[in-house]
Amino acid sequence: MSDTISPWVRRYAPLIPGGAVLDLACGAGRHSRHLASLGHSVVAVDRDTEALALAAGPDITTSAIDLEEEGAAWPFGPARFAGIVVTNYLHRPLTAAMIASLAPDGVLIYETFAEGNAQFGKPSNPDFLLRPGELLDWAREHGLRVVAFEEGVVDAPKTSMVQRICAVKADFPRVAALLPPF
């Protein structure tokens, strides 16, 4: 289990406006701790209670929820979060409700495996791999403005095919998208 913060999350997390942030499928909380260090209160959600115990900390509220179990419903209301961060997780039935939980000026930072990853190992099940341009489709379907998007092969923390996006809701001020240098 890596405690290294995703460079994608590190780069775009500073764009999240003040307010609560959801770290969905947070695992041991590497991103939860980073977001809390940036001054956010964090809701860290995972179904693994052992991982959540590691994620707990100041300004981090952990919640054991299995959003994939039969009959599970999205537990958060609309416009609840200034930011939502998701890495290495995909459960498509959550998409619309998750994006609806972003505040009108909220930021979505999403990074996970994409089709083509099977050549590098797991996950290889298409249910857990984004289709080409799928995150862009989500943004278009849900009225998000794309700040950044990438799709391709990364070599760390392991060689993988990934897709990642930073997208914002309509009320996010364009001038607030101060992009750090590479």
Side-chain angles (χ1 to χ4, degrees), residues 53-182:
L54 298 171
D59 296 318
I60 300 171
T61 302
T62 60
S63 188
I65 304 172
D66 184 349
L67 292 167
E68 296 178 36
E69 72 183 353
E70 184 77 29
W74 183 252
F76 304 107
R80 164 83 169 76
F81 297 106
I84 297 176
V85 173
V86 185
T87 60
N88 302 333
Y89 179 72
L90 177 62
H91 186 59
R92 288 179 179 92
L94 303 177
T95 305
M98 175 189 68
I99 293 172
S101 287
L102 275 174
D105 63 346
V107 176
L108 174 67
I109 300 171
Y110 206 112
E111 174 182 33
T112 197
F113 302 99
E115 281 184 7
N117 192 65
Q119 65 189 310
F120 304 114
K122 301 258 185 221
S124 56
N125 180 335
D127 291 343
F128 306 119
L129 302 174
L130 289 164
R131 294 180 292 273
E134 186 170 353
L135 291 177
L136 290 173
D137 293 340
W138 290 6
R140 199 171 11 264
E141 290 166 18
H142 298 283
L144 300 176
R145 191 169 71 244
V146 175
V147 173
F149 172 82
E150 291 183 344
E151 183 171 23
V153 178
V154 296
D155 59 3
K158 67 176 188 165
T159 304
S160 306
M161 179 70 73
V162 301
Q163 199 175 127
R164 45 197 179 196
I165 198 166
C166 174
V168 297
K169 290 285 274 249
D171 289 353
F172 185 88
R174 294 180 86 78
V175 295
L178 301 172
L179 304 177
F182 284 101

Side-chain angles (χ1 to χ4, degrees), residues 1-6 10 28-34 54-55 157:
M1 164 180 357
S2 173
D3 202 39
T4 304
I5 298 161
S6 156
R10 183 181 301 280
R30 62 189 172 132
H31 296 124
S32 296
R33 285 185 292 282
H34 178 64
L54 298 171

